[in-house]
Amino acid sequence: MSTAILTGSPVAGSPLEADLRTLGFDVRTANDPASVAELIAGLPAQQRIAVVDPRFVGHLHALRLALTDPRFPAAAVPGALTVQPEARPALARAVGRIPVGAGTAHLTDVLTETLTESLDHDAVGLHRVELGSLVATVALTPARREEAREAVAAVDDEAVRLRTAVKSRDGFFTTFGISPYSRYLARWCARRGLTPNQVTTASLLTALIAAGCAATGTRGGFVAAGLLLLFSFVLDCTDGQLARYSLQYSTLGAWLDATFDRAKEYAYYAGLALGAARGGDDVWALALGAMVLQTCRHVVDFSFNEANHDATANTSPTAALSDKLDSVGWTVWVRRMIVLPIGERWAMIAVLTALTTPRIVFYALLVGCALAACYTTAGRVLRSLTRRARRTDRAAQALADLADSGPVAELIARGTRGRGRTGSYLAPVMAFLSAAVLLIWVIFEDDPSSWLTVGVAAASALLAGAAVSRPLKGALDWLVPPFFRAGEYVTILVLAARTDVPGALPAAFGLVAAVAYHHYDTVYRIRGGTGAPPRWLVRATGGAEGRILVVTVLAAALSPSGFTIALTALAVVLALLVLAESIRFWVSSQAPAVHDEGEPA
């Protein structure tokens, strides 16, 4: 139970107390700052506290946004504010600073505003709710109260609540094909007490069933798989809309939301590959290639955004042109569709699964994602080259964490520290060469499963260490993590494919999936402000260059069938290791309540 303190006598006929109880608050009254301070001191330390002016007039949803959103330590609208346990000391200090005696009436007349200003100055992370068309005000006279009530009656707050449950920025298919009805499904779930986590889990289970249907390899199975994949996406949209509709954000929900989309999509790829194999068509290389390409696309997105997250003097003629194009309505949707976001991508996969074959699905996916990757990466490179920006230490650290360098690269980096100039193009050039040298060798060498390949992998590790030897603050240093990901993932794919042994590519698929999960987990920890996974985990997994060395040694030392078994074992060990640490973190108290509102891919 949370507690709401009314700072004066309730207004006759006002529904305020009933509204506060509807939101789960125990209502108390206090007539002056001293009695407010006394009430605060006497309440359990783990309780959320709201301070509300009894003359408040406004929509119930305005109160809900201000008083029940768990993502902010403190939040306010005119006439109402709330603090979570971590911000309660700041509220107590704010109350204690209010002077008493003559000349202080202006501070206590609307006490909530005085406290809100004080909390704002204390830098506790106060969130001032953007009300839009919603009403929230303190009516000091009967005339103003009547005027405010008329303004409340003129706006349907339930319609506003439904509209704002939908992401403000999303893909064309999601915006026009899913959200118009999924928001009502979200409300249906809310009224029956369902949580976003339950809907997220239902979406995952639906996608896994879809993958199972695809794995049957029958036309009926493929049709069912396509329909179920679309329904899984409807539920995927519904869980976020339910969270926004009912303000049910949680740390566990953040983790589920951040990882299940990738688990669903990549599990479906595996299902399609199994289904194709039942029909005599081996498309595991295409399935693994699609997963590698999609994961590398995301790494480009993540790295670029982190590099520019808090950059100063962050201007670019290219960005200005993009903003200008955003003012022309149709170009916004065309540009959003070009990048093949999750809605368009899953719709394409579902339709092609039902109507064609897995091989055609993967061909279309690879071509579409490759074109999208070229478009987005070229635009970001152009922005970076024309942008005058100063990267911060935080951005450099984020890129270093995304690079996932292990002990071998660390040792090499220490040996080359001080060589090269921070801000030059040395880091991305070294990272590119690290990946290119290795990939050219394993792709074109007649027998890549040899000890010569181990030597090339060692040379690649040397270049990788040189790439991260200085802070990654250059204009194109955000390309370092994507180059490392491409080098690692494609090396595993090619070595498995060239063994020409049944089971090698599925084993490689499992290994890349486990490593990719580790990289997604790193991204969402960084986005939540808690930093990368612990260093011991990165060292235990070997880092990117360490895993490449291990895989090349296994390929050289073992027979093709032994290499397949080793890849499977390595995938299982890495999956258990990274999942155990990830679950421990995301169910712990320090995990952030991160919910992505801006990434449609």
Side-chain angles (χ1 to χ4, degrees):
M1 176 69 74
S2 302
T3 299
I5 302 172
L6 290 178
T7 58
S9 301
V11 176
S14 170
L16 180 58
E17 284 193 63
D19 286 347
L20 291 171
R21 291 192 174 94
T22 297
L23 297 177
F25 285 90
D26 176 33
V27 181
R28 310 280 186 90
T29 59
N31 292 318
D32 53 57
S35 53
V36 170
E38 185 178 347
L39 267 177
I40 293 172
L43 292 171
Q46 71 277 12
Q47 275 200 10
R48 173 194 287 266
I49 295 176
V51 181
V52 184
D53 194 296
R55 298 163 295 183
F56 174 89
V57 179
H59 288 102
L60 174 61
H61 192 51
L63 277 178
R64 182 182 290 109
L65 290 169
L67 305 186
T68 66
D69 194 329
R71 295 174 296 172
F72 310 105
V77 293
L81 68 95
T82 184
V83 293
Q84 296 205 63
E86 61 266 34
R88 279 182 55 174
L91 178 62
R93 290 193 302 270
V95 174
R97 284 197 295 262
I98 297 176
V100 297
T104 63
H106 67 287
L107 297 175
T108 56
D109 185 34
V110 184
L111 185 60
T112 54
E113 295 306 299
T114 302
L115 296 176
T116 297
E117 291 297 326
S118 184
L119 289 175
D120 211 359
H121 292 150
D122 266 6
V124 296
L126 177 72
H127 171 64
R128 291 183 181 269
V129 177
E130 294 184 9
L131 292 170
S133 59
L134 295 174
V135 176
T137 188
V138 177
L140 299 178
T141 65
R144 289 188 62 183
R145 176 170 293 275
E146 186 59 32
E147 181 182 336
R149 285 174 174 169
E150 290 176 0
V152 169
V155 177
D156 183 352
D157 75 334
E158 178 61 18
V160 173
R161 190 180 179 191
L162 271 173
R163 185 175 68 251
T164 55
V166 178
K167 273 186 181 182
S168 58
R169 180 182 182 274
D170 225 324
F172 182 87
F173 177 73
T174 305
T175 300
F176 296 104
I178 303 294
S179 293
Y181 58 87
S182 62
R183 70 183 76 182
Y184 295 101
L185 179 58
R187 182 172 67 180
W188 183 89
C189 292
R191 291 177 175 176
R192 282 152 185 80
L194 297 176
T195 66
N197 294 349
Q198 291 170 333
V199 177
T200 302
T201 303
S203 176
L204 174 67
L205 293 175
T206 303
L208 294 179
I209 295 171
C213 291
T216 63
T218 64
R219 178 51 52 195
F222 288 146
V223 172
L227 293 173
L228 286 170
L229 185 66
L230 283 177
F231 183 59
S232 173
F233 183 64
V234 172
L235 293 176
D236 182 61
C237 295
T238 301
D239 65 358
Q241 291 165 359
L242 175 57
R244 288 182 286 273
Y245 179 85
S246 57
L247 299 181
Q248 295 184 75
Y249 299 100
S250 68
T251 54
L252 180 60
W255 175 58
L256 297 177
D257 186 58
T259 56
F260 276 16
D261 278 355
R262 304 288 82 81
K264 288 180 286 190
E265 186 168 359
Y266 299 158
Y268 192 83
Y269 293 175
L272 282 174
L274 288 169
R278 284 181 175 271
D281 189 12
D282 186 354
V283 297
W284 274 107
L286 297 177
L288 181 50
M291 181 168 69
V292 168
L293 180 55
Q294 187 59 29
T295 303
C296 288
R297 281 186 64 199
H298 284 137
V299 174
V300 169
D301 294 342
F302 300 145
S303 297
F304 179 81
N305 290 336
E306 287 303 322
N308 295 284
H309 175 72
D310 51 4
T312 57
N314 202 7
T315 59
S316 163
T318 310
L321 175 61
S322 178
D323 293 339
K324 186 176 181 179
L325 287 174
D326 282 344
S327 64
V328 183
W330 66 270
T331 66
V332 174
W333 296 115
V334 170
R335 291 163 65 217
R336 289 186 189 178
M337 292 172 69
I338 287 174
V339 301
L340 203 64
I342 187 169
E344 278 76 357
R345 191 168 67 251
W346 282 27
M348 180 185 75
I349 293 171
V351 170
L352 291 178
T353 298
L355 299 179
T356 64
T357 66
R359 180 173 290 273
I360 292 176
V361 172
F362 285 123
Y363 281 155
L365 194 58
L366 286 166
V367 171
C369 287
L371 292 174
C374 291
Y375 170 76
T376 55
T377 305
R380 285 167 180 170
V381 168
L382 187 58
R383 285 191 184 198
S384 299
L385 292 174
T386 59
R387 175 172 278 162
R388 295 180 179 179
R390 290 186 294 275
R391 269 72 181 189
T392 62
D393 291 338
R394 176 203 171 279
Q397 183 59 51
L399 292 179
D401 292 333
L402 290 173
D404 193 31
S405 301
V408 175
E410 284 183 337
L411 184 63
I412 296 168
R414 280 198 293 269
T416 58
R417 191 84 63 191
R419 301 174 187 176
R421 183 168 55 86
T422 299
S424 68
Y425 298 118
L426 181 64
V429 168
M430 290 294 102
F432 172 77
L433 291 175
S434 173
V437 166
L438 183 60
L439 293 180
I440 290 172
W441 176 268
V442 297
I443 290 171
F444 295 105
E445 170 62 22
D446 291 336
D447 180 21
S449 299
S450 67
W451 291 105
L452 281 175
T453 303
V454 177
V456 175
S460 174
L462 284 171
L463 293 168
V468 295
S469 62
R470 298 297 299 267
L472 299 176
K473 293 185 177 182
L476 296 178
D477 284 1
W478 56 270
L479 287 170
V480 170
F483 284 145
F484 285 172
R485 295 295 78 74
E488 178 182 3
Y489 297 162
V490 178
T491 296
I492 295 171
L493 188 162
V494 173
L495 288 176
R498 298 196 64 181
T499 60
D500 202 24
V501 172
L505 279 167
F509 189 96
L511 177 57
V512 172
V515 176
Y517 176 86
H518 168 57
H519 292 143
Y520 282 113
D521 184 52
T522 300
V523 165
Y524 283 95
R525 293 197 198 206
I526 293 171
R527 283 190 168 185
T530 57
R535 198 61 204 160
W536 69 261
L537 178 66
V538 177
R539 292 192 176 103
T541 59
E545 80 292 339
R547 288 187 295 270
I548 290 173
L549 284 169
V550 169
V551 170
T552 55
V553 167
L554 292 174
L558 302 174
S559 65
S561 58
F563 178 59
T564 299
I565 295 171
L567 283 183
T568 304
L570 186 59
V572 171
V573 170
L574 280 176
L576 291 175
L577 188 62
V578 299
L579 276 173
E581 163 55 23
S582 177
I583 293 171
R584 180 209 65 77
F585 171 78
W586 286 101
V587 300
S588 67
S589 58
Q590 75 262 32
V594 177
H595 287 261
D596 181 26
E597 299 295 332
E599 177 211 338

